[in-house]
Amino acid sequence: MFEDLRFRLRALFQSKSVERDLDEELRYHYERQVEHMQSQGHTEAEARRLARLEFGSLDQRKEECRDAHGISWLETLYREFRQAARSLMRRPGFSLGVVFMLALGIGGNLALFSVFNGLFLKPLPIDRPEEIVEINTAAPRWNLERTSVNYFDFHNWRAHNRSFAAMACYDETEANVAFTGEPLRLRGLQVTHDMPQVLRIQPALGRFFSPNEDKPHANRVALISHRTWREQYGSNPAVLGQGIRLDGQGFQIVGVLPPDLRVPVEADFWTPLGEAPVQRQNWYLDTLGRMKPGMTSAKATEDLLRIHKSVPDEMSQLTFPFTVGIRERTFGELRSYSLIVLAGVGIVLLIACVNIAGLMLVRAQSRRHEMAIRAALGASRWQLSREWLAEAIWLAAGGAAAGMLLGLGGLRLIVSLIPDTALPAWVSFEADWRFTLFSLALAGTSALFFGAFPALRASRAALRNELAESATRSSTSSGQRRSLNSLVIAEVALASVLLVSAVFLGKALWDLSQVQPGFRAENTLVYTVALPRSQYSKPEQWVNFYNSLIERTQTLPGVRSAAVSSITPLSGHQGNFYIVEGAPPLPKGQSDPVVLRIAASPGYLAAAGLTLAEGRDFEPNEGSAPENTTVLVNESFARLYWKNSSPLGKRISQRSDKPKWMNIVGVVKDWRQYGLDRPMRPAVILPQRAAPSPQMSVIVNTASDPLSLARASRELVRQLDPQLPLFRLTTMEERLSRSLWIRRTYSWILGLFAGLALILAVAGLYGVVSYTVALREREIGIRLALGAAPVAIARQVVGNGAILVAAGLALGAVASYFAARSMASLLTGIDPANIWVYASVGALLLLVALGANFWPARRAASLDPVSIMRSE
Amino acid sequence: MPNPLELPQGVLDLLLLKTLALEPLHGWAISQRIHTRTTGDVQVQQGSLYPALHRLERKGWLKTEWATSENNRRAKYYSLTPAGRKQLRAEEAEWVRLALAVSQVLGEA
């Protein structure tokens, strides 16, 4: 078989050299025979004559040899493809149109597939990524899906598990570092010493931490990232042993991390976590485990639960460890959107294919006479079908090639829509073998789909004698018209599904953008300043620093108000538990929900644009007296404990055996702390003085463009302490817009493709109706000649089209409803029963479709009967 | 000298395979070899030799190679492939059975 293939390929692509070989071989024989004859005593001339006589005509022999090779399947295939290519070249309009439509469909799919591939399919850039899981705990009683991990639990799991080859936890951190010039804010990781075993990495230089260095009060050592090593130390190996000041504290550099390390997160430095398994209530760590080979996530979870539940205390009974893939936990939300949009572009490709199938069918119709003759002459069904499939494969190949370019371009566009740091650094969208495989699969399936229609038809032509039929030039056969009609119906239905889905998604986005965030988005600047403990060790220093920063900020021109807060809107969560004075003890086993805890300076409500429902804001210096501290709660908190009565004057305390009661002086209206589409948790706001923190965000309400104050703010911070960088500087508007980027991006993409689907479907409808009119010219001509009114003809054409559209819409409405229902199960804010969405999409499609029918109808009405009859 | 024998269908293939079983040969040498081995009783039509060789090559029983011939010229040498050897064994056995059967019938008469 292989020999044969080699032989065939050679015959195909080196036919000249094959011919030369044949010639040389036969000539050699002839010459030898002549020599042979001469050696037997013949003269040269005689010898030549005899040899030629015996051998026969050289050309004749060559022909016989060629016949002996036979015509192979490969050559047949080659001829068929060449034939198909020529036939397509003769109709550049048709071919380019098809390639263009396919390119749109395939390109769209490839772009979206690349996104999906990058997010969900590509393995993480580490060794044996399938063994890595994230470990977290859930606390259903506290209404928390993820609590993060406390070190006590981690320590316990690490010591007793049977499922993991290694387990490590980490905490993301940041530090001010001054190398030379402006102080930088570097991103770091505090890791346990086993992190390298989990990631299976080696240091580029030096060593990792020893278990002894990963303990409280150990020597302070650090590793720096490969990039930091290159950019700040010029890749000098002498960096080992040098000191580095992180937040003013001296660390000794013991190693350099491997290059391009992006898991679990990209970090500029690593320091040991240095925790001891003593405290039970600080859930702040992220944990990664490398499972033993052959271990499953479910079994590992079981193992962890076994260990966890054997600890006999309340915490261990309330929390449940579980394992989850890193992708699932990072992109859980993106998955639904990706699937919806992938289904959407799939529909676009389907519509394109349906369109192309229609065009091919029309072409098959125009060539049916030829097909009939060839069938009559003995061409087999398979032979006739093959030609169409060859054309389909060419078209699909062209469409796939153009689609790849378009897809890569589209991918770039989509990637440019994704905010910079929205995705982890290890995500890459570059095309890989999956991309290629998917392209091939798409092209192949499309070719099969739209090639099958004309191929089937051609093979039918071989079955029955169409010669007689076509000789009478009857109008299109009813079978053909039926298939064209069903294609149009399918197109309209598919397009309407996509349009309805896009409208639902767009409407959800619009509704969301109309939601009142409860805080002020416009004219609000935020940034964060963190104070290193080495220079700012006392809480009073923190409060004083931030107070003077606020005072100075308020003197800047264009500033309406300014305040600091530990947590600003849309910037995360810090939780705690609170108890209410005099409240009856909770039923046994039931825990209070987690409460968002914020520490803020007086004036924070005004600066952030939060509104008071009742009561008052903090007064200056409130909270400095340790007893009799005041506190604000939000509406959710108030509702939770006091239903509809006022909480003013009531007292609450952080949960503790020795409560420190705080007076509620105000109730703040709920705001969307976690995103416009997320519910609000109960929240308390404490005065900064009562709960000082060395890291606060400054929030500034400005009179004009907030970013115009960025430079002045930097200058202020520098004046207060030149060592302090200011970071996460942004506007509230920007934050709000970013919080919606997933919805917005996907809505745009789906909307774009829905538009495309509409155009394709209408083009298909137009094509089919025009074609039908063209085929019926004779009939229409006769009717016109017999006195039919042109208006009646036009009405009939439009009516026929309208019936198809109506059928498509009816089918589409049902399919759309199911599409919307499955979308609603994935996303919030979609009401599949919203009849107006269906109605408006239906009206739009009907309108556009009637427009598409209008031109062919006009043509039909204006036909000249005389010239048609003459052309017979 | 009596007229050379006409070869029955398929026998030429067997002769070619057998001739090439010993060593690679070019076309002319094959015809000579058959001629001398059959002491001139079998005359392979020079013209039919090459189509037959090409057919056997296509079937994968022969492979070809250009090499320098005994008179120092480039010639195309044919040799057996493993499939060719298998085919030869099969055809040989078949031929022997056929010849035996035929001579048995002839002997009876």
Side-chain angles (χ1 to χ4, degrees), chain B residues 81-98:
Chain B
T81 61
R85 272 182 207 288
K86 229 168 98 185
Q87 180 67 17
L88 172 59
R89 277 198 294 280
E91 283 195 23
E92 256 178 338
E94 201 145 306
W95 174 255
V96 170
R97 271 177 59 204
L98 179 66

Side-chain angles (χ1 to χ4, degrees), chain B residues 10-80:
Chain B
V11 176
L12 178 60
D13 290 3
L14 176 56
L15 287 184
L16 291 175
L17 292 174
K18 185 71 188 174
T19 311
L20 288 169
L22 293 176
E23 53 175 335
L25 291 171
H26 52 72
W28 188 76
I30 295 170
S31 79
Q32 288 301 308
R33 189 69 62 92
I34 292 176
H35 187 71
T36 48
R37 284 274 204 92
T38 59
T39 55
D41 275 349
V42 174
Q43 175 78 53
V44 177
Q45 263 278 317
Q46 308 235 332
S48 59
L49 182 68
Y50 285 95
L53 284 172
H54 282 241
R55 197 175 58 245
L56 295 183
E57 184 189 0
R58 186 198 160 183
K59 287 188 175 165
W61 297 338
L62 300 185
K63 59 177 190 276
T64 64
E65 193 182 16
W66 287 90
T68 317
S69 71
E70 59 283 358
N71 66 344
N72 262 331
R73 280 178 46 195
R74 238 166 69 88
K76 192 171 169 189
Y77 278 79
Y78 290 84
S79 57
L80 284 191

Side-chain angles (χ1 to χ4, degrees), chain A residues 4 7-8 21-22 24-26 28-29 31-33 35-36 54-55 61 64-65 68-70, chain B residues 26-28 31-32 43 46-47 49-51 54-55 57-58 66 69-71 73-76 78:
Chain A
D4 190 52
F7 188 77
R8 291 297 156 205
D21 280 4
L22 184 59
E24 194 176 346
E25 184 181 16
L26 296 186
Y28 175 79
H29 184 106
E31 300 293 342
R32 279 304 291 265
Q33 188 65 16
E35 283 167 28
H36 181 65
E54 197 174 349
F55 200 79
R61 298 290 166 236
E64 281 168 17
C65 285
H69 289 164
Chain B
H26 52 72
W28 188 76
S31 79
Q32 288 301 308
Q43 175 78 53
Q46 308 235 332
L49 182 68
Y50 285 95
H54 282 241
R55 197 175 58 245
E57 184 189 0
R58 186 198 160 183
W66 287 90
S69 71
E70 59 283 358
N71 66 344
R73 280 178 46 195
R74 238 166 69 88
K76 192 171 169 189
Y78 290 84

